[in-house]
Amino acid sequence: MGGTEPAEARPEIDRRRLPPEERQQQIVDEAVRFFAEVGLDGKTRELARRLGVTQSLIFKYFETKQDLIEAVYGRVYLERISPDWPTLICDRSRPIGERMSIFYRDYGSRIFDHDWMRIFMFSGLAGAELNKRYLTHLSKTLLEPLLKEIRVAASSPSEPTLEDLWSLHGGIVYLGIRQHIYRMPTPEDPQHEIDRAIGRFLGSFDVEGP
């Protein structure tokens, strides 16, 4: 599971005069690294210093700090949600266990990441709305449709609930938290552990796993 390079190993920031679109992207890229390192309370003055630009230049592209955080939210959260996932989840030509395995393999490859995990944790601790918005979006667009597909495949008298699915999802995300937040050892092959968790979950509702 990958992460970002430590700050001392990052390449020097390009201080040339850049086209506006490129400069804006540079600011967002560095803001992602910055907030992942120090939290959402990090000062834009320090961010500007790291970029080698003036604080006023940042506010030329982002009217307020909250606007910059919104751009970070889009980069870290929304841009990592694949538009292909809803189609995969509802593709009944594949067994539900296979669909879940593919989905969580792809999802894990995008969120088992230093910046994603740390911004997610910092945002939650700060009581920011980013996490709530992201989790609501995730539930509506992915987990609720997935729950519907699991219920279609289930033959057990008891139906899985959304809370059951959140428990599975949270357990999978915890693999990344262990690596990037707690710095604890994690499985060499996370997909094997993810598939085992999916298998146990589906098996409790008499559905074949991956």
Side-chain angles (χ1 to χ4, degrees), residues 76-135:
V76 174
Y77 292 156
L78 299 185
E79 289 182 17
R80 299 194 192 197
I81 294 179
S82 169
D84 298 331
W85 288 341
T87 300
L88 168 66
I89 286 170
C90 296
D91 180 8
R92 294 183 183 174
S93 68
R94 301 172 183 260
I96 187 62
E98 179 184 342
R99 282 179 267 165
M100 291 178 71
S101 177
I102 295 171
F103 165 62
Y104 276 111
R105 180 185 64 213
D106 198 12
Y107 185 74
S109 73
R110 293 166 187 246
I111 72 160
F112 291 164
D113 170 83
H114 172 275
D115 293 344
W116 193 99
M117 287 291 168
R118 288 182 63 83
I119 287 177
F120 188 80
M121 296 300 289
F122 277 130
S123 178
L125 290 170
E129 283 293 306
L130 302 186
N131 290 26
K132 182 177 179 181
R133 284 164 52 194
Y134 171 72
L135 293 174

Side-chain angles (χ1 to χ4, degrees), residues 91-209:
D91 180 8
R92 294 183 183 174
S93 68
R94 301 172 183 260
I96 187 62
E98 179 184 342
R99 282 179 267 165
M100 291 178 71
S101 177
I102 295 171
F103 165 62
Y104 276 111
R105 180 185 64 213
D106 198 12
Y107 185 74
S109 73
R110 293 166 187 246
I111 72 160
F112 291 164
D113 170 83
H114 172 275
D115 293 344
W116 193 99
M117 287 291 168
R118 288 182 63 83
I119 287 177
F120 188 80
M121 296 300 289
F122 277 130
S123 178
L125 290 170
E129 283 293 306
L130 302 186
N131 290 26
K132 182 177 179 181
R133 284 164 52 194
Y134 171 72
L135 293 174
T136 298
H137 181 72
L138 184 73
S139 181
K140 294 295 183 184
T141 61
L142 298 171
L143 295 191
E144 290 178 25
L146 182 57
L147 178 64
K148 179 180 178 181
E149 294 301 307
I150 295 168
R151 286 175 170 174
V152 168
S155 56
S156 169
S158 60
E159 282 193 336
T161 66
L162 187 58
E163 190 61 31
D164 293 328
L165 190 52
W166 270 119
S167 294
L168 171 67
H169 184 86
I172 291 171
V173 172
Y174 186 66
L175 288 170
I177 293 174
R178 279 168 54 195
Q179 181 186 21
H180 295 291
I181 305 301
Y182 300 137
R183 306 299 174 96
M184 292 176 60
T186 51
E188 289 187 13
D189 181 8
Q191 188 60 37
H192 175 68
E193 297 304 322
I194 290 171
D195 284 344
R196 288 183 65 215
I198 293 171
R200 289 192 298 270
F201 174 83
L202 291 177
S204 64
F205 301 103
D206 295 333
V207 179
E208 185 176 351

